[in-house]
Amino acid sequence: MDGDREAFRELVDQYGNHLFKAVYSVLRSTKDAEDVTQEALLKIYASLPQYRFQGLKTWMTRIAVHKAIDFKRAKDRKKEELTDEWEGLGARPMLRERPVEDTVINRERSDQIRHYLDQLPESYRDVVVAFYIEEKSYQQIAEEQQMALKTVESKLYRAKQYMRKVWKEEEWE
């Protein structure tokens, strides 16, 4: 019995991460991928007596991916059934404009942008905010900030150069 547990532990340690990645590539949900990977590992362990000793990793990955596909189909089917029931009741589903993840990511990105704007030199910040955030024209900015049109253009150009130099592209990916 302990030998079986030890063999299963070794299977999980050696291939668990690889199988999780394969399952995640199908499901795109960490929680679902964790659950399905566990189910796949149990199925693999139970199926080891039928293994024909030809490409263990490939065989296990195939089982895990099939489990993920089955899970996704069942989830989609359940969603359809719920939608059909809901529509059968004559109710209109309340659709969110954005999934929660998108809202959180957008909020984080907005906070990051605000942080970067606070780091901009003050002489650039007002012009950048007016042009990019408030979407004002060069002429409106020049009039409101009482400066020449060429000064607005020059400040925006320098601000862009500053942003390219200071804000590395990796931070935005």
Side-chain angles (χ1 to χ4, degrees), residues 159-169:
K160 287 178 198 176
Q161 298 297 17
Y162 175 88
M163 289 184 271
R164 282 189 190 109
K165 180 180 166 191
V166 176
W167 303 348
K168 295 183 177 65
E169 195 172 313

Side-chain angles (χ1 to χ4, degrees), residues 44-99:
I44 289 165
Y45 184 71
S47 301
L48 278 174
Q50 289 86 32
Y51 174 63
R52 290 185 221 114
F53 301 98
Q54 293 177 336
L56 178 65
K57 192 173 183 180
T58 304
W59 177 72
M60 291 188 327
T61 303
R62 191 177 307 124
I63 291 173
V65 168
H66 284 291
K67 277 276 188 200
I69 292 168
D70 291 345
F71 178 85
K72 190 172 187 173
R73 285 181 182 154
K75 194 173 183 179
D76 290 345
R77 228 177 289 122
K78 189 178 286 186
K79 200 181 292 183
E80 281 180 26
E81 289 170 6
L82 288 173
T83 303
D84 290 345
E85 285 179 29
W86 186 258
E87 288 172 354
L89 295 172
R92 289 184 355 186
M94 292 174 50
L95 298 176
R96 289 186 180 168
E97 289 184 28
R98 292 183 173 165

Side-chain angles (χ1 to χ4, degrees), residues 20 23-34 71 75:
F20 171 80
V23 170
Y24 182 83
S25 71
V26 174
L27 299 178
R28 296 285 183 212
S29 163
T30 303
K31 182 186 175 302
D32 291 343
E34 287 171 350
F71 178 85
K75 194 173 183 179

Side-chain angles (χ1 to χ4, degrees), residues 3-155:
D4 287 349
R5 284 186 182 154
E6 191 58 38
F8 184 69
R9 170 62 44 213
E10 192 172 317
L11 185 77
V12 171
D13 289 345
Q14 192 166 359
Y15 298 104
N17 196 33
H18 168 75
L19 296 175
F20 171 80
K21 289 176 184 178
V23 170
Y24 182 83
S25 71
V26 174
L27 299 178
R28 296 285 183 212
S29 163
T30 303
K31 182 186 175 302
D32 291 343
E34 287 171 350
D35 292 344
V36 172
T37 301
Q38 285 180 354
E39 289 177 26
L41 282 164
L42 291 171
K43 167 95 171 147
I44 289 165
Y45 184 71
S47 301
L48 278 174
Q50 289 86 32
Y51 174 63
R52 290 185 221 114
F53 301 98
Q54 293 177 336
L56 178 65
K57 192 173 183 180
T58 304
W59 177 72
M60 291 188 327
T61 303
R62 191 177 307 124
I63 291 173
V65 168
H66 284 291
K67 277 276 188 200
I69 292 168
D70 291 345
F71 178 85
K72 190 172 187 173
R73 285 181 182 154
K75 194 173 183 179
D76 290 345
R77 228 177 289 122
K78 189 178 286 186
K79 200 181 292 183
E80 281 180 26
E81 289 170 6
L82 288 173
T83 303
D84 290 345
E85 285 179 29
W86 186 258
E87 288 172 354
L89 295 172
R92 289 184 355 186
M94 292 174 50
L95 298 176
R96 289 186 180 168
E97 289 184 28
R98 292 183 173 165
V100 175
E101 296 86 10
D102 288 350
T103 304
V104 170
I105 289 170
N106 287 338
R107 188 177 310 129
E108 287 176 1
R109 177 150 284 186
S110 294
D111 291 345
Q112 187 180 20
I113 290 171
R114 266 190 234 104
H115 172 72
Y116 282 129
L117 284 175
D118 289 342
Q119 290 180 341
L120 263 177
E122 195 171 330
S123 62
Y124 300 152
R125 187 180 320 130
D126 296 336
V127 176
V128 168
V129 168
F131 185 74
Y132 289 106
I133 308 296
E134 297 171 359
E135 299 180 351
K136 295 181 180 177
S137 70
Y138 284 20
Q139 187 63 44
Q140 288 174 306
I141 297 168
E143 290 170 6
E144 288 176 5
Q145 297 188 14
Q146 299 174 349
M147 62 177 75
L149 189 62
K150 286 287 184 189
T151 305
V152 172
E153 290 175 7
S154 175
K155 283 187 175 194

